[in-house]
Every structure is written in C-alpha cells, then in structure tokens.
Amino acid sequence: MGEVQDLYEKIVELAKRRGFFWPSYEIYGGVAGFYDLGPLGARLHQKIIELWREYFIHRHQDLVVEIETPIIGPEIVYKASGHLEHFTDPIVECLKCGRKYRADHLIEEKLGIKTEGLSPQELTRIIREHDLRCPVCGGPLSEVKLFNLLFRTTIGPYSSNIGYLRPETAQGMFVSFKRVYEAMRHRLPIGIAQIGRVARNEISPRQGMMRLREFTIMEFEFFFDPENPREGLDEYLPRVADTKLRILTAEARERGEEKPEEYSVEEAINEGVVRVPWMAYWMAIARDFVMALGVPYENMFFEEKLPHERAHYAQQVFDQLVKVSRWGWVEVSGHAYRTDYDLSRHMKYSGHDLTVFRPYPQPRVVKVKKVIVDKAWVGRTYRSDAPRVFELLSRLSPEEVERMLRERGKVVVEGYEIPGDRVRVVEVEEKVSGRRFVPHVVEPSFGSERLLYVTLEYAYREREGRVVLSIPRRLAPIEVAVFPLVRDERLVEKARNVKRMLQDAGFYVYYDDDGSIGRRYARADEIGVPVAVTIDYQSLEDDTVTLRDRDTWRQVRVETARLVEAVRRFLEGASLEELGKPVGS
Amino acid sequence: MGEVQDLYEKIVELAKRRGFFWPSYEIYGGVAGFYDLGPLGARLHQKIIELWREYFIHRHQDLVVEIETPIIGPEIVYKASGHLEHFTDPIVECLKCGRKYRADHLIEEKLGIKTEGLSPQELTRIIREHDLRCPVCGGPLSEVKLFNLLFRTTIGPYSSNIGYLRPETAQGMFVSFKRVYEAMRHRLPIGIAQIGRVARNEISPRQGMMRLREFTIMEFEFFFDPENPREGLDEYLPRVADTKLRILTAEARERGEEKPEEYSVEEAINEGVVRVPWMAYWMAIARDFVMALGVPYENMFFEEKLPHERAHYAQQVFDQLVKVSRWGWVEVSGHAYRTDYDLSRHMKYSGHDLTVFRPYPQPRVVKVKKVIVDKAWVGRTYRSDAPRVFELLSRLSPEEVERMLRERGKVVVEGYEIPGDRVRVVEVEEKVSGRRFVPHVVEPSFGSERLLYVTLEYAYREREGRVVLSIPRRLAPIEVAVFPLVRDERLVEKARNVKRMLQDAGFYVYYDDDGSIGRRYARADEIGVPVAVTIDYQSLEDDTVTLRDRDTWRQVRVETARLVEAVRRFLEGASLEELGKPVGS
C-alpha cells in the first residue's frame, strides 16, 4: 500500500511471476510451511544439489558415499534417536478461541523477553506474570506444553503400527550403518550422505521459504575412530590450507562478544576451537560451497551454539550463518559433533552390535588378569551346585575377586564361599588382533530450499530500473537465450536453427521473439540467463552472431560454427572478451 | 536349503552384499514395503533418473518443464482428486487372531479364483461359499471392507487438520497448473513433470523392491487442447517415425488374445488404437527409454487396461509391461488419458477457474441466441418480486425458453408466468476473441525403484562361474576401475596417480590392490564397472596402461596421456578396439 517493497517481497513477487517458487495449494487458500518450486526453481534447486554433491561427495569419492532411505520410519527408530522425547517446541493455546501459538515466539514478539533455553514452566510463569493474552481474541492462555514436531502416521492396516516422517535423513544412515560399512569393505573414516525430503510439523511457520514444514536436506554422517580422529585427514587438509573461517565461539558469546574471529582451518584445529579435526575440514568445504552460491566471505560466519541451544545428541555445534535482508543472520548449515550417541542408542534399542572391529597392523601382546579357581575343590564341595558357582564366578571381574581376597581373604557369591587358597588372580599375556569400538560422528547438514532463496537474494541486482538476476553462471536454470533482432522471417528462421543447435548440444535455451529486443534482454536478465545470442542482419551475411553478457551488457561477435564452444566456455567462467570481437569496435 | 536360487534371489543377495539395496530398518526386524538404496544403488538410481530426464524433459525442453511440490497435502486435495473415495484395496480380518489380509490376493492364492473388478460384497460371498479361513490360525474371516491406501497425518497442532502423503505426484501439477501455465506464458501443449517420493499404504506388500510402500515416481501431466489434440505433434513425430510398439488392446484381450500386435506409432494413432495422438508419441519415447535400460524389444509390450482395471480418473490406460524372472510381466510405466477429470474436480472443490483462454488468430463473429424480455411489463406485474423473476429467467437457456414458448405459449418459472408476447428469443451476432476450456491430460508415469531392479536383472550374466553385471555403460554406478597388476610399490604408486587423474576428470573410480588381479577383475565385473585400467611393468617403461572391457574381457593398451579421453569415449559407446592396440597381438 504505497510502501516500498523490501528485498524479500521483491524476490517473492519475481519468483511467483517467473516460476521460481510460490506457496503450495494456493487454490485451496494455501497451507503454511509448504512451497512449490516452479520450472525455474526446480532447475536451480537441482543445480544447487548437484553443486553440493560435487563439493562434498564427488570430490571426496574415496571418503563419502551417498545412500537413499525412506522418509517414513517405524516408531522405535525415533524412540531410539531421542526425537520422540526431545524434538519439541513449546505451545500455548487460547482458552477462549482455541488458537494455538508457539509460546516462546509469542513471548519474544509481544513482551520482548528472550526465551532461549527456558522450560515450559518458566514460559508459563512469564505469561502469567505479564498477563499475556491471545493476540487475536484477547482470551486467557493455557499452560505451556511441549508439542512434538514429528509428523505421525500409521504403517499398514494395524493402527498400533505407528510411523513418523523423518525430521532429518540422519537416522537412515545410523540404522543402516553396518550394511554400508560392510559393502564398503570396512572403510573408515567414512561419510554416508543423503539428499532428500524431511518433514517437521512446525506449530505456525511464518517465514515463507525460510521455514518450511517439508524441505530437502543435504547432509552426511562422517564416522571416524574416536581414538584416531585425524585419520585420513592429512591427504585432504592441504586442499583447504589457506582457507579462513570466521568463527564466533560459545566462549566468546558468553563473554558478550558478537563479532566472529578469523581462524585458519589449522588454527581452528590446533587451538581446539573446533574439537574434531574433520569437522573443521568440512566447515571449510561448507564455506567454499556457500561462497560458490554467491555469498561473499564477509556475509557469512560460523556461530558455536551454547549448551542449551544444542540438539539433544550433540556435544559441539556450529551453525553456518548467512546475512539476508529481512531476517538478518540465518542458519544455512549446521555442523554437529554427534559423538557415538546415535549408534549407541540404536545398539541399545535394537540389540544389534553396531561396533566396528579394526585389526591392529600386527596382533599385540597385552597383559590381562585372569581368575584361576580350583575346579576340583569346587566340584567336590558344591557337587550339583558347582556349575552355578562357576557361572557366578565368571561374572566377577578379576578386580572384584582381588578386592574380596584382599578385604575378606575369601570370595563369596550368593552365599557360596571359596577360601583364599582355592582361588587366585594371575596376570597372563594374550594376543589381541584388534580393537572393537563405536565410531564417533560429525555431521554437516544443509537445507537446500533455504540456500535457493539465499542464492536468489545474493543474485538480485537492479540496474537502470529493472532487475538482473546475477545467479552464478553454472547455477543458472536457463543457460543461454536466443533472439532474432527483429521479427523478420529470415532472422526468425536462423534464430530457431541456432536454438536447436544449442539444445542439441545439451543447453537449456530461452527463445523469445516477442516485443522489442530490449524487452527481451530484460526478460532474460530477470531470470538470470547468463548469456544471450542475437541473430541480426549481419548474421545472414557472414554467419556470425552476437553474444551478450548478462552482467556487463557488453557484446562480442562470434562465428555460429564456434558458438557451442563459446557458450560452454562462458558458462565455465571465461570472460566474454576471450570469446569474440567486441561489437562496435 | 540346497534349492537353486532363482535370479531374483541371486540379485537380492548381490545387492545386499555389494551395496545396491536391502530392506530398510533391518536391525529392528524390518518393515515390509521399505527398501534402502546403498552406495551403488543410489548412484544407479540417480543415473536412471537422469536418463529419464534426458529422454522426457531435456530433449523436449520446449514442451515439458519440471516442478517440485510437497509430499504432504491437505485433505481437500485428495477429496477433489477422488483418492479418498477410490484409492482403496479390499481387506479382510481374522476374527480370531486379528491378522489382516488383502482379500483379493488371499482368494487368488488360496482358491485360485480371479478377483479383478469384484466388489467387497462379491469377495465376501466367495470367502463364505468356500469357507476360506485365516491361513495362520484357521479362524473365521470378517466381511471384506475397503482399506484406503493413503498415509494419513495431521498438519500443525490442530488435530482436525488432516493431511495425506501423496500417492502420486500428479495432484501437485494439477493444483499448481495455473501458476505454471502463467509462468510459461500460456504455452500449450505443455507437460509438467515431477520426480519425487510417493507413499502408498499397501496392506501387506511382499514383493521386495517390486512393491514398495514408499517409492519414487517420475511422471508428467501433458496438458493439451482437446479440440486440437495433434497440436505441436508434427514437429516431434518424425523422431519416432520408425518406432514400432507392441500393443495388446483391451478389445483383443476381451477376445481372449494374449499376444500383443505390432503397430507403428503412426498406425496406433491413425487406427485409433491409442486415442490421444500425443499419448502414442510418449509411449514410443517410453519404449526407447526402457530399452536404454537394457530391456530388449521383445521382452516388453503395452497392455491396454480393461474398464474395471483402470483408475477412477482414466478413460484409456496402457501399462508398459516388462518380463522379469520371478513375476512374469510386470508394469514399469502407465500411460493414462486422464481427460479433464482432475482439473475439473479441482475447479469444483476450490472454486478457482482453471480453464485456459486461447485467442483466435482473429476475433470471430458468431451467432448467439438471446432471451429478450419486456422488463417494464415484468416490473409492473411482479413489483418487488421482479428482481427474482429476472434472476430466474437468466438461468434458463435460450433453448429452454424457445421450447416453453413452442409448447405452452408462455414461460413459467417457479409459478411466475410471462406471456408469449412479453418474451422472445432472438439471434444476434457477437464478436468472440477466443475460446475458454479445460485442457485435457495424458500422463506417462514410471516407478524408478522398480526400473532399477529391472535394470539389474537384465544386466545379470554368469560367465565362467562368476557374475558379470552388464549394466549399460552410461548407467554404471562406478565408471572405471584402476588396478596395479601386483602389489609392487612402484605399480601401486602409479596406479594411485592414474586413479586421481581419472577422479579429477570427473569419473567415479573403483581402486583395488587387494588379492590377485583375477579376483579384482571379478569384484569389478560383479558391480558392473564397464572398463578396468591395469598398471603393469610395461607401464613403468613406456607410460601405457591396459584397458579391459567388462563384457568381452578383451584388452587394449593405451597411452596414459590419452586415458581420460579413451575412458570417456568408451563410456559413450566406442568399442575397445577403436581406443588402443589389442594386448598380446
């Protein structure tokens, strides 16, 4: 209403009109937290996913493998993972109109009181103390309760078979860890990645594409030996040797600092800022990946979470934050040290052994204590009870037996006595061929729809009163535009041939012969087509065309026969001037 | 137990051991109808999806666009689509032990009676007549009921907000049709595609990877003008001019035929075998696509569904069937003529106009009938009731008014009479600038996990007592293997360099220096690596390596400097002999 649109509104308007994204189910009034990706958005999304794959999987193909597991999981998985207990938000209900609100958000918005880490009881107390009421009808509010964010369903025809939609892909990697580990012939460290939809039943999501109830996660669990946490790193560390990370540590935050400090990856490791060396490595790759989407270094940093901000499974967490227009610093990735929490929980709940065994290079001889008992004496003394006595003795550790002998001069188990001269503890040498342990895990995790929005926001420029979407060339949904200069049949025919040639070469082509050439450039710039090919009258004479750079609006002329190669090189990063003769020179 | 494994079992064993696929949630005893894709399976899956994109979208980029919509949808969408009412299977419960069964399957298995198209009442009658009982406990069975296959959930904190997981991606395209149509500047015909997860809550799925409760659909809705159903086709039809389709028509099936007949695409169109010309075109592309997965022409045909076999929305359906070892002919794609069913239903349920308007090249002058009534007379006669009378009259068609005048000499609506001299029907000329209509739709739809299994089955060969997986080269999850001939440090070092060179060039490389070279070839063949590079002692002398073809086991020698190009050409289809000198010649 006469107000100036903010950048978010401009992008949302453009996204709807040109087909990047829009709210789902619009004809039914929409459902909060669900968005569609249109033709351009879906292609941009695919390219962002492909770029992530390249950075984290393809370039690390000896370290990271990708799998696919289901979205729907049985209840036991989310009991084991802790999500049934911990994956909650505080909710409050109006006792008059029945509307429901996220309690912490309501308090922060209406009262301006910080609520991080507060319990439902504490939130209730704040509501009572400030007489906070329903913002719609003014009715009184209920006690604050915890609302579980898992989408619940039933698997098959038995109503007792509860299932949930995964809120992260991670549990798929943990539950199937052993199968992957076997198939990969016991490779360690190993990253197991997944890219797929997840669902979180937010109470009242209101940030458009930034907070969705259903979205796509790109993440991997990186399993390593906790006794050898640098294993394999030396081969990869040189790749990020010069990489600087801006980090705001939890300790600095507790001191009241708000500005991140700069560390090289090695400093972050050596100074113990990032506790797991591999985590620092993956943070460096995350930095480079987000920069490749168009976010400058200074608009990004890693914030260490405070203990009460961390998920239940994590011992250290860094959020990668990026500055966006409307919401300030927002999280685009999370880097969590999940320890052996998940595998250990699944061992406990499933009864399956999820440890790994690593042979020593050579079997080691170790000294171990053993309990030696005079079996003949026990047999004579306890007769038919003797097996039971052996069983009970076997459950005692050598240390316990030593203690009993030291303190009481005999061993007593469930009333059976063995005197000190019939039992002793000796030290023997044993050959041990390896070690069995539960791997620890660091997890880099990205939300791709949010990154898609961030990419659009950083690509958005206004120039001479119109929009140019400077999407990084390799991410552009439509790669090249083809225009006849005017709607002359000879130009149109040649333009169509050029279009087909480029399509056959594998490019996505935007063809347009409607309106003036200026309007057509504008329509192509607005959706971020990096380069436009124009067929003009000179094209009919010497079989050349012009190439125009979306970002500089400069033009060069190239031979049609060399066009495919020129476009390919341009998309790979060449400057226009390398590809042809400047127009008008 | 001494029995010979069938092909399915062999593939399942291989798939688990090497990491193609396995049942999900194994450590918790598994959940029927859910499978994981392991590292090799996920890559094969991606390549199959990418191939589908190439065949149906990239090569048709002027016709088909891809979007992404949510898996979770509000109840109204599935009311409108008819799935709440029609997407059901018959279920029967044991009244003693409570076990539930799919009634039609139970009857077919235990009694050998065909059940296609039978109602729950008819199924109940068969159970009663044959005294069919619970196959586990022998208890009596309940009445047969219909069980809805939609996974149900709740969206947000209000329990009345029912949501469902989509059983097909299609409703996303219908609900968002208007947005896409606008963003694509009113292109028609237009295909709107989606590749994504869907969920169907099968009663008791028991066919492994062939019948999943959660799987991936690749499909598109192709919207066209029903009055101009060949529009745009002429440009594309030549691409499939020589394509033959094996089709078993519904009519032939009703005659008792079991063998398909061969039609060219043009014959299928011209003889009306396939009612919508574009549908025949897409069936031809489907044929080529499935052949590219390795299925020979003669192991595939299109079966037209009988009326009672068709989904509720379809007027003509062809299933693309492929022969597999254990289950005979199975559906790998469905081609449905959905008419305007879905858009019309969503118009009705949402109240939104989903018609499209197509201007005529020039406005047309058409003759239309109009009802002319003596308004002054109606006003004088009916006074305050006059608006009501006008309203009622406006609801009558000119034809109805004509009929009343012809038959009774007057018009009577809800007791109000207008004599024949106060109302008449005239014909007037009107300018009409275009036509408004609901597009019709044909839908090609593929299940990708099933295609993955089919691809593995058709790739499976045994040779000299071991397995060679002859996956089409461009689909192979691992593209090239690198081996040092023996574990000599100089060979290992060179092999690692070659491996890195190939990885840097973008290939997925299988490196192995464990065991004999023969065993390593065998391990690579078993997972379908198309070509193996071996570094031997000659490599140290003249910087050449050998290339070995997985399928022929023949070898050639190439220079290391030309290796990247040689591997690329081999994967694109070149024969080994084009790439180097035969070894041993």
Side-chain angles (χ1 to χ4, degrees), chain B residues 392-423:
Chain B
L392 291 169
L393 282 172
S394 76
R395 291 196 203 155
L396 295 178
S397 70
E399 288 72 20
E400 275 175 286
V401 173
E402 278 183 325
R403 189 181 48 74
M404 287 185 190
L405 289 173
R406 201 166 54 236
E407 291 175 3
R408 306 173 59 181
K410 60 186 176 186
V411 174
V412 184
V413 276
E414 291 192 5
Y416 302 107
E417 286 195 9
I418 300 110
D421 56 342
R422 300 294 179 186
V423 60

Side-chain angles (χ1 to χ4, degrees), chain A residues 226-250:
Chain A
E227 292 193 16
N228 194 3
R230 277 188 77 114
E231 187 179 13
L233 185 62
D234 289 343
E235 192 186 330
Y236 291 87
L237 204 53
R239 299 187 185 191
V240 294
D242 299 326
T243 299
K244 300 267 186 239
L245 302 175
R246 288 169 13 108
I247 299 179
L248 180 59
T249 63

Side-chain angles (χ1 to χ4, degrees), chain A residues 76 79-81 344-352, chain B residues 27-28:
Chain A
I76 181 84
K79 265 191 191 149
S81 74
S344 295
R345 295 273 295 190
H346 286 299
M347 280 177 71
K348 191 175 149 196
Y349 278 77
S350 72
H352 270 68
Chain B
I27 64 171
Y28 291 107

